[in-house]
Amino acid sequence: MLGHRYTRTFLETAVASMNAGCNLELSYGMRNNVFMHIPQALAMGNITLQMLRDRVRPLFYTRMRLGEFDPPAMNPYSALDLSAVQSPEHRNLSLEAVVKSFVLLKNVRGTLPLRAQDLPGKRLAVVGPFADNPRVLFGDYAPVPEPQYIHTPRRGLETLPANVSFAAGCREPRCQQYSQAEVAAAAGAANVVVVCLGTGTDVETEAKDRRDLSLPGHQLELLQDAVQ
């Protein structure tokens, strides 16, 4: 109603939402929320009592599964404390999820994986605004980063037995100011170049849409300079 003008009133919005299957409103501080008009919609016959029951049922089913109506002693979530945050078990699970979610589109001449036994004496260059900037590695709605647990591409590659050089080229994802010479110097002397590009929350988040899918700023130019 407010943003897209799909409906004209909160009452009409509540009816349209429930008919579409929505059963939960995310309120953001309005005193008069949309779903507060459900009783009026019910009284006017715009929705039925059975529809209201159907929408409410999964909400309370979820709350029951979470143990919200059980005595605290029966609820396993009540026993959790701060020791569960960033625990080794959870960090290992996160690592497993990352490894299993990688998508390799092309592997020309078996470049990957980089094997430690093949790297002594080799020169690696890691370049780009995402190469060594922990802040931009976290997406929208991400938790507050814990620096000691963040491994940027540069930090990870520096654990390999190789001579690693680094050049950001541009410090932020928007890449408005680009140092071509910095990237060319690092990439030109390397046997392997790892280019780290992207968007991040500086460029796109909720309510911050993009006009196209191209790399921001001079990032494409950075990529072309790195692979020449």
Side-chain angles (χ1 to χ4, degrees):
M1 186 190 82
L2 299 177
H4 297 285
R5 303 288 190 258
Y6 180 75
T7 55
R8 292 167 295 179
T9 65
F10 276 7
L11 174 61
E12 186 182 348
T13 305
V15 173
S17 300
M18 291 196 66
N19 282 328
C22 181
N23 65 354
L24 185 65
E25 177 183 2
L26 175 57
S27 171
Y28 51 95
M30 294 186 300
R31 293 184 178 181
N32 188 14
N33 298 325
V34 172
F35 274 3
M36 294 299 289
H37 293 76
I38 289 177
Q40 183 182 356
L42 187 63
M44 295 175 62
N46 297 120
I47 61 173
T48 65
L49 184 60
Q50 185 58 47
M51 177 189 291
L52 182 59
R53 287 171 173 162
D54 290 342
R55 297 294 179 267
V56 169
R57 185 176 291 110
L59 296 177
F60 279 86
Y61 175 66
T62 302
R63 295 184 66 186
M64 290 176 69
R65 290 187 66 192
L66 290 172
E68 291 188 4
F69 303 106
D70 296 333
M74 293 177 56
N75 189 339
Y77 297 105
S78 300
L80 295 177
D81 56 25
L82 288 178
S83 65
V85 178
Q86 291 288 2
S87 66
E89 293 81 7
H90 291 169
R91 293 203 304 274
N92 290 336
L93 182 61
S94 296
L95 178 61
E96 180 183 354
V98 170
V99 170
K100 289 184 176 180
S101 62
F102 271 116
V103 177
L104 182 63
L105 298 181
K106 186 181 290 187
N107 193 15
V108 178
R109 294 191 299 274
T111 302
L112 298 175
L114 296 176
R115 297 177 178 85
Q117 62 267 27
D118 300 332
L119 293 176
K122 296 291 183 66
R123 296 184 299 275
L124 270 63
V126 53
V127 301
F130 284 71
D132 197 38
N133 188 340
R135 183 185 65 81
V136 301
L137 299 182
F138 290 80
D140 202 11
Y141 287 89
V144 177
E146 290 283 350
Q148 67 267 35
Y149 302 127
I150 300 173
H151 288 260
T152 64
R154 179 188 182 183
R155 181 180 173 187
L157 289 170
E158 285 180 343
T159 65
L160 298 175
N163 182 10
V164 178
S165 60
F166 159 70
C170 44
R171 301 299 173 184
E172 300 296 337
R174 294 188 183 278
C175 203
Q176 298 298 319
Q177 296 180 330
Y178 168 51
S179 174
Q180 183 183 40
E182 180 184 6
V183 171
N191 303 108
V192 177
V193 181
V194 178
V195 187
C196 305
L197 308 174
T199 56
T201 56
D202 291 356
V203 177
E204 54 185 338
T205 63
E206 179 185 4
K208 189 192 293 183
D209 298 329
R210 305 179 63 201
R211 294 184 181 273
D212 57 66
L213 296 178
S214 59
L215 289 167
H218 293 280
Q219 285 197 37
L220 180 58
E221 182 181 350
L222 188 158
L223 174 61
Q224 293 168 335
D225 293 334
V227 299
Q228 285 179 353

